[in-house]
Amino acid sequence: PGERNWRGDLAAFGARLKKSLSRNWGLKLTSLIIAVAVWGGLISQDASLTREKSFSDVAVSIVNADALQRSGFIVVSDLSKLTPIRMRADVPQRVYDSATPANFNPRLDLSRISAKGEVTLPIQTTDTISYGRVTWLSQSEVTVEVDEYITRRRIPVQSVSPAGEGELPEDVYAGTAGIDPNSVVVSGPRSLVAEIARVVPAYDIAKLTPILGTQYNAVPFTLVNRDGGEIKSPLITVTSENVLLDTLLVEQTFYPQKDVPINLTGAVTGQVAPGYRIASVTATPAEVKIAASAGLLDKIVLADLALPIDVTGMTETIIRAAKVIKPSDAVYISENAVYVTVEIVPLSSADGEAP
């Protein structure tokens, strides 16, 4: 009888529960939803309730490189090739979905370096109340190579070579090229900067289309050692008056030029010895190239010699060097002097006098 009463009571309780649930079910469902929402709100506002979140392909930032250089050091290892890491963090529930690796700022602080050579740096992260704390890193430190950071001033810029034969049209002359700046300041690792001897502009006149007048060209440059070998590194900076340089300014003026004959009129003075005569007077070369502005060049017909050659008492052919006068305002003359040949021969019966 006791067992039957127990079963009866249980059946009666089930019936009452079913009847209770079937009545006012809308109100009960609303209460349940409100309860869940309140529970979720309380959970999200509790900073002590966290979940572990994993991050992959996390980039490690480099900080305080400028501070390291001010301390006289520089990292010569290629930090741009640092392998991304993986990371886990305990993140508060309320920001779980929005948390990113940037909230923990994984970084290498170069200001911790105080000596050259091989240095091992820890990968640092930032823990906050808002976003939690990092619990694990796939890589916790990085080893780098450090060199002294130096600055050298007044590194000369190599002058531009004159145009070679065939590099310009025959009727065009290139004036001396000016370079701005003519010296630079170079900074970087001692192992590289100490070897730099000069700066070489990559100026190829043969690739220009010469137009009469002044041309300005911004050209790249290379840093070379004493043997002419190139020194190249992204760690080297080249400046002038605190302005970072990646080109040099080359200024060059192009002039018209032409061949001008040597003026041999009056090139000889004096009388040869009796019984002799001057058969010919020639110059080698017979012409010189002269460059000047177009208006002036049109007026130049002959190139004069500075002094005549004295043949007084001469009895045989002579060859003398004679200076050529450069016309005023001309910018170029191909020869400063020419060789003048004065051919002296005995008089013959054909000249109307016995030798």
Side-chain angles (χ1 to χ4, degrees), residues 14-26 28-29:
R16 287 196 302 270
L17 179 62
K18 182 177 180 181
K19 183 178 180 180
S20 176
L21 291 174
S22 63
R23 296 173 60 187
N24 298 321
W25 62 268
K28 292 181 175 63
L29 180 61

Side-chain angles (χ1 to χ4, degrees), residues 46-55 87-100 103-104 128-135:
D46 190 348
S48 64
L49 297 177
T50 61
R51 289 173 58 191
E52 184 178 80
K53 186 170 185 178
S54 297
F55 303 94
M87 181 173 69
R88 288 198 292 265
D90 286 339
V91 181
Q93 291 277 8
R94 66 178 181 274
V95 293
Y96 185 86
D97 292 333
S98 62
T100 66
N103 299 130
F104 304 97
T128 63
I129 296 176
S130 299
Y131 289 96
R133 64 185 184 89
V134 174
T135 58

Side-chain angles (χ1 to χ4, degrees), residues 87-167:
M87 181 173 69
R88 288 198 292 265
D90 286 339
V91 181
Q93 291 277 8
R94 66 178 181 274
V95 293
Y96 185 86
D97 292 333
S98 62
T100 66
N103 299 130
F104 304 97
N105 189 23
R107 63 197 181 276
L108 278 183
D109 186 356
L110 301 187
S111 67
R112 300 168 64 93
I113 297 173
S114 59
K116 69 176 185 178
E118 193 173 81
V119 177
T120 299
L121 295 173
I123 296 178
Q124 298 176 290
T125 57
T126 299
D127 298 338
T128 63
I129 296 176
S130 299
Y131 289 96
R133 64 185 184 89
V134 174
T135 58
W136 177 82
L137 297 172
S138 62
Q139 180 180 349
S140 60
E141 57 186 24
V142 175
T143 300
V144 296
E145 190 68 28
V146 179
D147 195 1
E148 292 181 70
Y149 181 82
I150 66 170
T151 296
R152 291 180 57 204
R153 305 181 184 279
R154 300 185 182 88
I155 303 295
V157 177
Q158 181 173 292
S159 59
V160 174
S161 301
E165 186 175 353
E167 291 185 326

